[in-house]
Amino acid sequence: MPPIAKPTACLALADGTLFYGQGFGATGQTEAELCFNTAMSGYQEIMTDPSYAGQIVTFTFPHIGNVGVNPEDDETQDPVAAGMVVKWMPTQSSNWRAVQELSEWLASRGRIAIGGIDTRRLTRAIRQSGAPHVALAHDPEGNFDVEALVKAARAFPGLTGVDLAKGVTCAQSYRWDEMRWAWPEGYAPQTAPKKKVVAIDYGAKRNILRCLASAGCDVTVLPATATKEEVLAHDPDGVFLSNGPGDPAATGAYAVPMIKGILDDTKLPVFGICLGHQMLALALGGKTVKMNHGHHGANHPVKELDTGKVEITSMNHGFAVDGQSLPEGVVETHVSLFDGSNCGIRMSDRPVFSVQHHPEASPGPQDSFYLFERFVQAM
């Protein structure tokens, strides 16, 4: 039998549990909350999704890295997730679009990964005990101070009460006209937009902006801290609230007053996704709660209550809107068929609505695109 390779990476949970494996990507140490994602594809989009700030992602699907990476699939410029955990070490990529190997890409962008982990055992632990705080270390020599790692995991402050949107939002406003990818031209520009949209960037994924452009929108993106006056200065036909990381109640400290101002002083259509959905709920008088282990995957069934239609959706959230907290005049529109949690709301008398899932991520593949069309029609 060949000799067993010496571990070069260690994942330490705050409860003292240790997982040893083989490190790849960058070397060093990082601390974060640990979640798991059940998607069978899209590891590059997941790692570059700003909603994963402050989190290490465990991939339950074993074939991670086999199609390499390419810049067209980035949801933002660099990986935002703190690290990744996989069952099998990435093999050499085999895909005509690949321009770099996953391990090289992670290393060049300072992200640590560990392979050779029993991801089923780890996922069960997350489901049973909630998303743990962890420390992940990669040392090619295999030298680990496990007591220090566990201590570092326990010292991680967590995501409750933490505003992470300011760390991933844009530094200044910009225009967006790139539409969704299509064969053979790739990403074509929107040259005949019908409506002006201001998109608030709490950690916006590029494909959401592309879907807005493809639906006929002239998109101007503003930072997360934009005020009502800055939004209205662009004379928009509608306002979009993007996805993003962290605790919506913390980000809401500055975002909710702006959203309330838009709702109180205008009749503009408003559409929110993910964190934007949660903060719209807060602005309307609802509440949000921290989930045990969240929803992360591309196979989540969501029911639209008005029609009874079931959509297969992509999700990535660790907080949720409390459907029982919604005030009069705010209607629950979508629910998760996994656990019954809230996945959508709307005002009963105005075109103001939002969803928890990601209609731009196309797992259905086009089950939820109607939401972008509904937003444009409302304008």
Side-chain angles (χ1 to χ4, degrees):
M1 292 180 61
I4 298 176
K6 182 180 180 181
T8 58
C10 180
L11 178 69
L13 279 58
D15 66 1
T17 304
L18 301 175
F19 290 81
Y20 290 98
Q22 299 301 310
F24 60 99
T27 57
Q29 179 179 319
T30 188
E31 298 83 36
E33 179 182 274
L34 184 68
C35 65
F36 65 87
N37 190 299
T38 58
M40 295 174 68
S41 63
Y43 55 81
Q44 183 181 342
E45 291 89 338
I46 290 166
M47 290 299 293
T48 55
D49 180 351
S51 296
Y52 279 108
Q55 294 180 300
I56 292 171
V57 184
T58 300
F59 289 86
T60 62
F61 188 65
H63 300 284
I64 301 299
N66 57 348
V67 294
V69 294
N70 71 85
E72 285 190 332
D73 289 347
D74 287 340
E75 290 290 1
T76 192
Q77 186 170 351
D78 288 305
V80 180
M84 70 189 310
V85 180
V86 299
K87 180 174 178 61
W88 294 338
M89 291 290 287
T91 56
Q92 183 176 357
S93 63
S94 178
N95 187 281
W96 65 275
R97 296 177 67 231
V99 299
Q100 197 174 16
E101 298 295 330
L102 174 61
S103 183
E104 297 170 354
W105 180 73
L106 291 170
S108 66
R109 287 161 171 79
R111 291 296 183 267
I112 301 171
I114 181 172
I117 295 295
D118 184 348
T119 52
R120 288 192 175 193
R121 177 190 166 204
L122 189 55
T123 298
R124 282 197 300 269
I126 296 171
R127 286 180 60 88
Q128 291 167 3
S129 302
H133 299 170
V134 301
L136 173 60
H138 175 199
D139 177 7
E141 301 300 319
N143 298 318
F144 304 107
D145 184 340
V146 293
E147 290 186 5
L149 285 175
V150 172
K151 186 176 181 180
R154 290 172 178 168
F156 180 70
L159 303 185
T160 301
V162 178
D163 169 35
L164 294 175
K166 286 181 180 177
V168 296
T169 188
C170 55
Q172 59 189 28
S173 64
Y174 63 93
R175 297 283 294 279
W176 183 277
D177 65 358
E178 186 177 270
M179 296 193 297
R180 287 166 43 213
W181 194 94
W183 177 266
E185 63 269 19
Y187 295 122
Q190 170 60 266
T191 57
K194 305 178 188 71
K195 299 295 180 182
K196 291 173 62 178
V197 170
V198 166
I200 309 300
D201 176 15
Y202 302 115
K205 296 170 65 178
R206 290 174 177 172
N207 217 43
I208 291 180
L209 303 179
R210 294 186 188 111
C211 286
L212 289 170
S214 291
C217 299
D218 176 0
V219 183
T220 299
V221 184
L222 297 186
T225 54
T227 63
K228 177 193 72 174
E229 291 74 20
E230 289 170 335
V231 172
L232 297 182
H234 292 273
D235 192 25
D237 298 305
V239 177
F240 174 75
L241 309 174
S242 86
N243 64 294
D247 188 337
T251 302
Y254 56 86
V256 164
M258 182 279 289
I259 299 169
K260 282 184 176 179
I262 297 293
L263 297 176
D264 292 343
D265 299 345
T266 78
K267 296 296 183 181
L268 290 174
V270 177
F271 176 31
I273 289 176
C274 195
L275 182 64
H277 160 69
Q278 296 161 0
M279 287 191 299
L280 177 63
L282 292 174
L284 292 171
K287 296 179 180 179
T288 57
V289 294
K290 181 80 164 70
M291 304 177 77
N292 180 62
H293 55 272
H295 289 163
H296 309 277
N299 61 341
H300 287 249
V302 168
K303 184 176 183 179
E304 185 181 29
L305 297 178
D306 285 347
T307 63
K309 184 180 76 170
V310 176
E311 307 164 31
I312 301 303
T313 73
S314 175
M315 285 199 183
N316 170 25
H317 62 108
F319 292 81
V321 172
D322 180 0
Q324 301 299 312
S325 72
L326 298 175
E328 187 176 351
V330 181
V331 179
E332 185 172 58
T333 59
H334 297 73
V335 295
S336 166
L337 293 184
F338 277 162
D339 58 13
S341 61
N342 175 269
C343 291
I345 61 171
R346 64 174 170 83
M347 293 186 70
S348 58
D349 58 348
R350 290 173 57 182
V352 173
F353 63 98
S354 59
V355 292
Q356 182 63 74
H357 51 283
H358 283 264
E360 84 291 343
S362 312
Q366 299 185 4
D367 293 8
S368 304
F369 279 175
Y370 69 90
L371 292 161
F372 293 101
E373 295 162 0
R374 180 180 293 176
F375 182 43
V376 172
Q377 289 166 1
M379 291 188 281

